[in-house]
C-alpha cells in the first residue's frame, strides 16, 4: 500500500491520498505535560516488529524471512559440525592421553623406587664401612 504525501499550503498540515494527517493527531500522542504517552514508550520490540507488517511489502518480508531462515539453518549445521568435531577431538585425546598419563605415572613410580633402592644401598654401605672401621 503506497501513500503519496503532498505538501499543503499550511505548513502544519500534510495531505495524503488515503487520509489526512495533522499536527493535532500528533498532539494526541502527547500527554498534558508534553511527554509522549507511556504506552508508546513501553512498546516491546516484538510489538514494534508486528507493526512493521503493515509497512513492509510482502516481497520484502518474504526475502527477509528466507534470509533469516537460511542463516538459522546454516548456524544449526555449523553447530552440528563443530559439535561432532569437538566430540572426535575429545574422545581421541582421552584414548591417547589416559594411557600416556598412566604410563608416565608408572615410569615415575619405577624411577622413585630405583632412587629409594640407591639411597638404601648407599646407607647400607656407609653403615658397613662404619662397622668395619670400628
Amino acid at each position: 500500500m503506497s501513500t503519496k504525501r503532498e505538501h499543503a499550503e499550511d505548513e502544519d498540515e500534510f495531505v495524503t491520498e488515503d487520509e489526512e494527517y495533522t499536527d493535532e493527531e500528533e498532539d494526541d500522542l502527547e500527554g498534558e505535560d508534553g511527554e509522549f504517552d507511556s504506552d508508546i514508550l513501553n512498546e516491546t520490540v516484538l510489538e514494534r516488529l508486528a507493526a512493521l507488517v503493515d509497512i513492509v511489502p510482502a516481497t520484502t518480508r518474504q526475502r527477509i524471512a528466507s534470509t533469516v531462515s537460511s542463516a538459522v539453518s546454516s548456524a544449526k549445521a555449523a553447530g552440528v559440525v563443530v559439535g561432532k568435531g569437538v566430540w572426535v577431538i575429545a574422545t581421541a585425546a582421552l584414548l591417547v592421553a589416559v594411557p600416556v598419563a598412566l604410563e608416565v605415572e608408572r615410569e615415575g613410580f619405577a624411577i622413585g623406587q630405583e632412587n629409594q633402592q640407591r639411597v638404601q644401598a648407599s646407607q647400607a654401605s656407609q653403615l658397613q664401612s662404619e662397622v668395619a672401621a670400628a
Side-chain angles (χ1 to χ4, degrees):
M1 174 178 181
S2 71
T3 305
K4 287 186 187 176
R5 289 190 171 222
E6 298 175 6
H7 187 61
E9 292 177 18
D10 184 11
E11 290 182 14
D12 293 335
E13 186 176 321
F14 290 95
V15 179
T16 64
E17 288 180 354
D18 298 334
E19 61 182 287
E20 280 191 21
Y21 177 79
T22 63
D23 283 343
E24 292 173 4
E25 292 176 9
E26 188 174 302
D27 292 340
D28 291 342
L29 299 176
E30 295 180 6
E32 292 176 9
D33 55 358
E35 292 187 15
F36 284 103
D37 189 12
S38 64
D39 290 340
I40 294 172
L41 295 176
N42 293 332
E43 277 185 335
T44 65
V45 174
L46 291 176
E47 289 172 342
R48 289 183 180 215
L49 287 175
L52 287 177
V53 171
D54 297 334
I55 298 171
V56 178
T59 56
T60 306
R61 287 194 314 260
Q62 289 171 351
R63 194 174 7 195
I64 291 170
S66 67
T67 302
V68 169
S69 176
S70 64
V72 168
S73 298
S74 298
K76 283 182 182 179
V80 168
V81 169
V82 168
K84 287 181 180 181
V86 168
W87 173 256
V88 167
I89 290 170
T91 54
L94 284 174
L95 290 174
V96 172
V98 169
V100 167
L102 291 174
E103 195 58 37
V104 166
E105 184 181 346
R106 188 181 320 172
E107 186 67 26
F109 183 72
I111 290 172
Q113 280 186 331
E114 288 176 6
N115 288 340
Q116 189 177 11
Q117 287 175 354
R118 283 190 198 128
V119 168
Q120 286 176 353
S122 68
Q123 286 177 350
S125 66
Q126 277 182 348
L127 187 59
Q128 284 179 354
S129 64
E130 288 177 5
V131 171

Coordinates of all heavy atoms in Angstrom, one line a residue, residues 37-111:
D37 N 2.9 9.5 25.3 CA 2.1 8.5 26.1 C 3.0 7.3 26.5 O 3.8 6.8 25.7 CB 1.0 8.0 25.2 CG 0.0 7.2 26.0 OD1 0.0 7.2 27.2 OD2 -0.9 6.6 25.3
S38 N 2.9 6.9 27.7 CA 3.7 5.8 28.2 C 3.5 4.5 27.5 O 4.3 3.6 27.4 CB 3.5 5.6 29.7 OG 2.2 5.2 30.0
D39 N 2.3 4.3 26.9 CA 2.0 3.0 26.2 C 2.9 3.0 24.9 O 3.4 1.9 24.6 CB 0.5 3.0 25.7 CG -0.4 2.7 26.9 OD1 0.1 2.3 27.9 OD2 -1.6 3.0 26.7
I40 N 3.1 4.1 24.3 CA 4.0 4.1 23.1 C 5.5 3.9 23.5 O 6.2 3.2 22.9 CB 3.8 5.5 22.4 CG1 2.4 5.6 21.8 CG2 4.9 5.6 21.3 CD1 2.1 6.9 21.2
L41 N 5.9 4.5 24.6 CA 7.2 4.4 25.1 C 7.5 3.0 25.6 O 8.6 2.5 25.6 CB 7.5 5.4 26.1 CG 7.5 6.9 25.7 CD1 7.7 7.8 26.8 CD2 8.5 7.1 24.6
N42 N 6.5 2.3 26.1 CA 6.7 1.0 26.7 C 6.4 -0.1 25.7 O 6.3 -1.3 26.1 CB 5.7 0.8 27.9 CG 6.1 1.7 29.0 OD1 7.3 2.1 29.2 ND2 5.2 2.1 29.9
E43 N 6.3 0.2 24.4 CA 6.2 -0.9 23.4 C 7.4 -1.8 23.4 O 8.5 -1.4 23.5 CB 6.0 -0.3 22.0 CG 4.7 0.2 21.7 CD 4.6 0.7 20.2 OE1 5.7 1.1 19.7 OE2 3.5 0.6 19.7
T44 N 7.1 -3.1 23.3 CA 8.2 -4.1 23.2 C 8.7 -4.1 21.8 O 8.0 -3.6 20.8 CB 7.7 -5.5 23.6 OG1 6.7 -5.9 22.7 CG2 7.2 -5.4 25.1
V45 N 9.8 -4.7 21.6 CA 10.4 -4.9 20.3 C 9.5 -5.7 19.4 O 9.3 -5.4 18.2 CB 11.8 -5.5 20.4 CG1 12.4 -5.8 19.0 CG2 12.8 -4.6 21.1
L46 N 8.9 -6.8 20.0 CA 8.0 -7.6 19.2 C 6.8 -6.9 18.7 O 6.3 -7.1 17.6 CB 7.6 -8.8 20.0 CG 8.7 -9.9 20.3 CD1 8.2 -11.0 21.2 CD2 9.2 -10.4 19.0
E47 N 6.3 -6.0 19.6 CA 5.1 -5.2 19.2 C 5.5 -4.3 18.0 O 4.7 -4.1 17.1 CB 4.6 -4.4 20.4 CG 3.9 -5.3 21.4 CD 3.5 -4.5 22.7 OE1 4.1 -3.4 22.9 OE2 2.7 -5.0 23.4
R48 N 6.7 -3.7 18.1 CA 7.1 -2.8 17.0 C 7.3 -3.6 15.7 O 7.0 -3.1 14.7 CB 8.4 -2.1 17.4 CG 8.1 -1.0 18.5 CD 9.3 -0.2 18.9 NE 8.9 0.7 19.9 CZ 9.4 1.9 20.0 NH1 10.3 2.3 19.1 NH2 9.1 2.7 20.9
L49 N 7.9 -4.8 15.8 CA 8.1 -5.6 14.6 C 6.8 -6.0 14.0 O 6.6 -6.1 12.8 CB 9.0 -6.8 15.0 CG 10.4 -6.5 15.2 CD1 11.1 -7.8 15.7 CD2 11.1 -6.0 14.0
A50 N 5.8 -6.3 14.9 CA 4.5 -6.7 14.4 C 3.8 -5.6 13.7 O 3.1 -5.8 12.7 CB 3.6 -7.2 15.6
A51 N 4.1 -4.4 14.1 CA 3.5 -3.2 13.5 C 4.1 -3.0 12.1 O 3.5 -2.4 11.2 CB 3.7 -2.0 14.3
L52 N 5.3 -3.4 11.9 CA 6.0 -3.3 10.6 C 5.4 -4.1 9.5 O 5.6 -3.9 8.3 CB 7.5 -3.6 10.7 CG 8.4 -2.6 11.5 CD1 9.8 -3.1 11.6 CD2 8.3 -1.3 10.8
V53 N 4.6 -5.1 9.9 CA 3.9 -6.0 8.9 C 3.1 -5.1 7.9 O 3.1 -5.4 6.7 CB 3.1 -7.0 9.6 CG1 2.2 -7.8 8.6 CG2 3.9 -8.0 10.3
D54 N 2.5 -4.1 8.4 CA 1.7 -3.2 7.5 C 2.5 -2.3 6.7 O 2.1 -1.9 5.6 CB 0.7 -2.4 8.4 CG -0.3 -3.2 9.2 OD1 -0.6 -4.4 8.7 OD2 -0.7 -2.8 10.2
I55 N 3.7 -2.0 7.1 CA 4.5 -1.1 6.4 C 5.4 -1.7 5.4 O 5.6 -1.2 4.2 CB 5.4 -0.3 7.4 CG1 4.5 0.5 8.4 CG2 6.4 0.6 6.7 CD1 5.3 1.1 9.5
V56 N 6.0 -2.9 5.7 CA 7.0 -3.6 4.8 C 6.2 -4.4 3.8 O 5.3 -5.2 4.1 CB 7.9 -4.5 5.6 CG1 8.9 -5.2 4.7 CG2 8.7 -3.6 6.7
P57 N 6.5 -4.3 2.5 CA 5.8 -5.0 1.5 C 6.0 -6.5 1.6 O 7.0 -7.0 2.2 CB 6.5 -4.6 0.1 CG 7.2 -3.3 0.5 CD 7.5 -3.3 1.9
A58 N 5.1 -7.3 1.1 CA 5.1 -8.8 1.3 C 6.4 -9.4 0.7 O 7.0 -10.3 1.2 CB 3.9 -9.4 0.7
T59 N 6.8 -8.9 -0.5 CA 8.0 -9.5 -1.1 C 9.2 -9.2 -0.3 O 10.1 -10.1 -0.1 CB 8.2 -8.9 -2.5 OG1 8.3 -7.5 -2.4 CG2 7.1 -9.3 -3.5
T60 N 9.3 -8.1 0.3 CA 10.5 -7.8 1.2 C 10.4 -8.6 2.5 O 11.4 -9.1 2.9 CB 10.5 -6.3 1.6 OG1 10.4 -5.5 0.4 CG2 11.7 -5.9 2.4
R61 N 9.2 -8.8 3.0 CA 9.1 -9.7 4.2 C 9.5 -11.1 3.9 O 10.1 -11.8 4.7 CB 7.6 -9.7 4.7 CG 7.2 -8.4 5.4 CD 5.9 -8.5 6.2 NE 4.9 -9.1 5.5 CZ 3.9 -8.5 4.9 NH1 3.8 -7.2 4.9 NH2 2.9 -9.2 4.3
Q62 N 9.1 -11.6 2.7 CA 9.4 -13.0 2.3 C 10.9 -13.1 2.1 O 11.5 -14.1 2.5 CB 8.7 -13.4 1.0 CG 7.2 -13.6 1.2 CD 6.5 -13.7 -0.2 OE1 7.1 -13.5 -1.2 NE2 5.3 -14.1 -0.1
R63 N 11.6 -12.1 1.6 CA 13.0 -12.1 1.4 C 13.7 -12.1 2.7 O 14.7 -12.8 2.9 CB 13.4 -10.9 0.5 CG 14.8 -11.0 0.0 CD 15.1 -9.9 -0.9 NE 14.0 -8.9 -0.9 CZ 13.8 -8.0 -1.8 NH1 14.7 -7.8 -2.7 NH2 12.8 -7.1 -1.7
I64 N 13.2 -11.3 3.6 CA 13.8 -11.2 5.0 C 13.6 -12.6 5.7 O 14.6 -13.1 6.3 CB 13.2 -10.1 5.8 CG1 13.6 -8.7 5.2 CG2 13.6 -10.2 7.3 CD1 12.9 -7.5 5.8
A65 N 12.4 -13.1 5.6 CA 12.2 -14.4 6.2 C 13.1 -15.5 5.7 O 13.6 -16.3 6.4 CB 10.7 -14.8 6.1
S66 N 13.2 -15.6 4.4 CA 14.1 -16.6 3.8 C 15.5 -16.4 4.1 O 16.3 -17.4 4.4 CB 13.9 -16.6 2.2 OG 14.4 -15.5 1.7
T67 N 16.0 -15.1 4.3 CA 17.4 -14.9 4.7 C 17.6 -15.3 6.1 O 18.6 -16.0 6.4 CB 17.7 -13.4 4.5 OG1 17.5 -13.0 3.2 CG2 19.1 -13.1 4.9
V68 N 16.7 -15.0 7.0 CA 16.8 -15.4 8.4 C 16.7 -16.9 8.5 O 17.5 -17.5 9.2 CB 15.7 -14.7 9.2 CG1 15.6 -15.3 10.6 CG2 16.0 -13.2 9.3
S69 N 15.8 -17.5 7.7 CA 15.7 -19.0 7.8 C 17.0 -19.6 7.3 O 17.4 -20.6 8.0 CB 14.5 -19.4 6.9 OG 14.4 -20.8 6.9
S70 N 17.6 -19.2 6.2 CA 18.8 -19.8 5.8 C 20.0 -19.5 6.7 O 20.8 -20.4 6.9 CB 19.2 -19.3 4.4 OG 19.5 -17.9 4.4
A71 N 20.0 -18.4 7.4 CA 21.0 -18.1 8.4 C 20.9 -19.0 9.6 O 21.9 -19.5 10.1 CB 20.9 -16.6 8.8
V72 N 19.6 -19.2 10.0 CA 19.4 -20.1 11.2 C 19.8 -21.6 10.8 O 20.5 -22.3 11.5 CB 18.0 -20.1 11.6 CG1 17.6 -21.2 12.6 CG2 17.7 -18.7 12.3
S73 N 19.4 -22.0 9.6 CA 19.8 -23.3 9.1 C 21.3 -23.5 9.0 O 21.9 -24.5 9.4 CB 19.2 -23.6 7.7 OG 17.8 -23.6 7.8
S74 N 22.0 -22.5 8.5 CA 23.5 -22.5 8.4 C 24.1 -22.6 9.8 O 25.0 -23.3 10.1 CB 24.0 -21.3 7.7 OG 23.5 -21.3 6.4
A75 N 23.5 -21.8 10.8 CA 24.1 -21.8 12.1 C 23.9 -23.2 12.8 O 24.8 -23.7 13.5 CB 23.4 -20.7 12.9
K76 N 22.7 -23.8 12.5 CA 22.5 -25.1 13.1 C 23.4 -26.1 12.5 O 24.0 -27.0 13.2 CB 21.0 -25.6 12.8 CG 20.0 -24.9 13.7 CD 18.6 -25.4 13.4 CE 17.6 -24.7 14.3 NZ 16.2 -25.2 14.0
A77 N 23.6 -26.1 11.2 CA 24.5 -27.0 10.5 C 26.0 -26.8 11.1 O 26.7 -27.8 11.3 CB 24.5 -26.8 9.0
A78 N 26.4 -25.6 11.2 CA 27.7 -25.3 11.7 C 27.8 -25.8 13.2 O 28.9 -26.4 13.5 CB 28.0 -23.8 11.7
G79 N 26.8 -25.7 14.0 CA 26.8 -26.2 15.3 C 26.9 -27.7 15.4 O 27.7 -28.2 16.2
V80 N 26.3 -28.4 14.5 CA 26.4 -29.8 14.4 C 27.8 -30.3 14.0 O 28.4 -31.1 14.7 CB 25.3 -30.4 13.4 CG1 25.6 -31.9 13.1 CG2 23.9 -30.2 14.0
V81 N 28.3 -29.6 13.0 CA 29.7 -29.9 12.6 C 30.7 -29.7 13.7 O 31.6 -30.5 14.0 CB 30.1 -29.2 11.3 CG1 31.5 -29.3 11.0 CG2 29.2 -29.6 10.1
V82 N 30.6 -28.5 14.3 CA 31.5 -28.2 15.4 C 31.4 -29.1 16.6 O 32.4 -29.6 17.2 CB 31.3 -26.7 15.9 CG1 32.0 -26.4 17.2 CG2 31.7 -25.7 14.8
G83 N 30.1 -29.5 16.9 CA 29.9 -30.4 18.0 C 30.5 -31.8 17.7 O 31.2 -32.4 18.6
K84 N 30.4 -32.3 16.5 CA 31.0 -33.6 16.1 C 32.5 -33.5 16.1 O 33.2 -34.4 16.6 CB 30.5 -34.0 14.7 CG 29.1 -34.5 14.7 CD 28.6 -34.9 13.3 CE 27.2 -35.4 13.4 NZ 26.7 -35.8 12.1
G85 N 33.0 -32.3 15.7 CA 34.5 -32.2 15.7 C 35.0 -32.2 17.1 O 36.1 -32.8 17.4
V86 N 34.3 -31.5 18.0 CA 34.7 -31.4 19.4 C 34.7 -32.9 20.0 O 35.5 -33.3 20.8 CB 33.9 -30.4 20.2 CG1 34.1 -30.6 21.7 CG2 34.2 -29.0 19.8
W87 N 33.6 -33.6 19.7 CA 33.5 -35.0 20.2 C 34.7 -35.8 19.7 O 35.2 -36.6 20.5 CB 32.2 -35.6 19.7 CG 32.0 -37.0 20.1 CD1 32.1 -38.1 19.2 CD2 31.8 -37.6 21.4 NE1 31.9 -39.2 19.9 CE2 31.7 -39.0 21.2 CE3 31.6 -37.0 22.6 CZ2 31.5 -39.8 22.3 CZ3 31.3 -37.9 23.7 CH2 31.3 -39.2 23.5
V88 N 35.0 -35.7 18.4 CA 36.1 -36.6 17.9 C 37.4 -36.2 18.6 O 38.2 -37.1 19.0 CB 36.2 -36.4 16.4 CG1 37.5 -36.9 15.8 CG2 35.0 -37.0 15.7
I89 N 37.7 -34.9 18.7 CA 38.9 -34.5 19.4 C 39.0 -34.9 20.8 O 40.0 -35.4 21.3 CB 39.1 -32.9 19.2 CG1 39.4 -32.6 17.7 CG2 40.2 -32.4 20.1 CD1 39.3 -31.1 17.4
A90 N 37.9 -34.7 21.5 CA 37.8 -35.1 23.0 C 38.0 -36.6 23.2 O 38.8 -37.0 24.0 CB 36.5 -34.6 23.6
T91 N 37.3 -37.4 22.4 CA 37.5 -38.8 22.6 C 38.9 -39.3 22.1 O 39.5 -40.2 22.8 CB 36.4 -39.6 21.8 OG1 36.4 -39.2 20.4 CG2 35.0 -39.4 22.4
A92 N 39.4 -38.7 21.1 CA 40.8 -39.1 20.7 C 41.8 -38.7 21.7 O 42.7 -39.5 22.0 CB 41.1 -38.4 19.3
A93 N 41.6 -37.5 22.3 CA 42.5 -37.1 23.4 C 42.4 -38.0 24.6 O 43.4 -38.4 25.2 CB 42.2 -35.7 23.8
L94 N 41.2 -38.4 24.9 CA 41.1 -39.4 26.1 C 41.7 -40.7 25.8 O 42.4 -41.3 26.6 CB 39.6 -39.6 26.4 CG 38.9 -38.4 27.2 CD1 37.4 -38.7 27.3 CD2 39.6 -38.2 28.5
L95 N 41.5 -41.2 24.5 CA 42.1 -42.5 24.2 C 43.6 -42.5 24.1 O 44.3 -43.5 24.4 CB 41.5 -43.0 22.8 CG 40.1 -43.4 22.8 CD1 39.6 -43.7 21.4 CD2 39.8 -44.6 23.7
V96 N 44.2 -41.3 23.8 CA 45.6 -41.2 23.8 C 46.2 -40.7 25.1 O 47.2 -41.3 25.6 CB 46.1 -40.3 22.7 CG1 47.5 -40.0 22.7 CG2 45.7 -40.9 21.3
A97 N 45.5 -39.8 25.7 CA 46.1 -39.1 26.9 C 46.0 -40.0 28.2 O 46.9 -40.0 29.0 CB 45.3 -37.8 27.2
V98 N 44.9 -40.8 28.3 CA 44.8 -41.6 29.5 C 45.9 -42.7 29.6 O 46.6 -42.8 30.6 CB 43.4 -42.2 29.6 CG1 43.3 -43.3 30.7 CG2 42.4 -41.1 29.9
P99 N 46.1 -43.5 28.5 CA 47.2 -44.4 28.6 C 48.6 -43.8 28.8 O 49.4 -44.3 29.5 CB 47.1 -45.2 27.3 CG 45.7 -45.0 26.8 CD 45.3 -43.7 27.3
V100 N 48.8 -42.6 28.1 CA 50.1 -42.0 28.3 C 50.2 -41.5 29.7 O 51.3 -41.6 30.3 CB 50.2 -40.8 27.3 CG1 51.3 -39.9 27.6 CG2 50.3 -41.3 25.9
A101 N 49.2 -40.9 30.3 CA 49.3 -40.5 31.7 C 49.5 -41.6 32.7 O 50.3 -41.5 33.6 CB 48.0 -39.8 32.1
L102 N 48.9 -42.8 32.4 CA 49.1 -43.9 33.3 C 50.6 -44.4 33.1 O 51.2 -44.8 34.1 CB 48.1 -45.0 32.9 CG 46.7 -44.8 33.3 CD1 45.8 -45.9 32.8 CD2 46.5 -44.6 34.8
E103 N 51.1 -44.4 31.9 CA 52.4 -44.9 31.7 C 53.5 -44.0 32.3 O 54.5 -44.4 32.9 CB 52.7 -45.1 30.2 CG 53.9 -45.8 29.8 CD 53.9 -47.3 30.4 OE1 52.8 -47.9 30.4 OE2 55.0 -47.7 30.8
V104 N 53.2 -42.7 32.2 CA 54.1 -41.7 32.8 C 54.1 -41.9 34.4 O 55.2 -41.8 35.0 CB 53.7 -40.2 32.4 CG1 54.4 -39.2 33.3 CG2 54.0 -40.0 31.0
E105 N 52.9 -42.1 34.9 CA 52.8 -42.3 36.4 C 53.6 -43.6 36.8 O 54.3 -43.6 37.8 CB 51.4 -42.4 36.8 CG 51.2 -42.6 38.3 CD 49.7 -42.7 38.7 OE1 48.9 -42.4 37.9 OE2 49.5 -43.1 39.8
R106 N 53.4 -44.6 36.0 CA 54.1 -45.9 36.3 C 55.6 -45.7 36.2 O 56.4 -46.2 37.0 CB 53.7 -47.0 35.3 CG 54.2 -48.3 35.7 CD 53.7 -49.4 34.7 NE 52.4 -49.3 34.3 CZ 51.8 -50.0 33.4 NH1 52.5 -51.0 32.8 NH2 50.6 -49.8 33.0
E107 N 56.1 -45.0 35.2 CA 57.5 -44.8 35.0 C 58.1 -43.9 36.1 O 59.2 -44.2 36.7 CB 57.8 -44.0 33.7 CG 59.2 -43.9 33.3 CD 59.9 -45.2 33.0 OE1 59.3 -46.1 32.6 OE2 61.2 -45.2 33.2
G108 N 57.3 -42.9 36.6 CA 57.7 -42.1 37.7 C 57.8 -42.9 39.0 O 58.7 -42.7 39.8
F109 N 56.9 -43.8 39.2 CA 56.9 -44.7 40.3 C 58.1 -45.6 40.3 O 58.8 -45.8 41.3 CB 55.6 -45.5 40.4 CG 55.5 -46.4 41.6 CD1 55.3 -45.9 42.9 CD2 55.7 -47.8 41.5 CE1 55.2 -46.7 44.0 CE2 55.6 -48.6 42.6 CZ 55.3 -48.1 43.8
A110 N 58.5 -46.1 39.1 CA 59.6 -47.0 39.0 C 60.9 -46.2 39.2 O 61.8 -46.7 39.9 CB 59.7 -47.6 37.6
I111 N 61.0 -45.0 38.7 CA 62.2 -44.2 39.0 C 62.3 -43.9 40.5 O 63.4 -43.9 41.0 CB 62.2 -42.9 38.1 CG1 62.4 -43.2 36.6 CG2 63.2 -41.9 38.6 CD1 62.1 -42.1 35.7

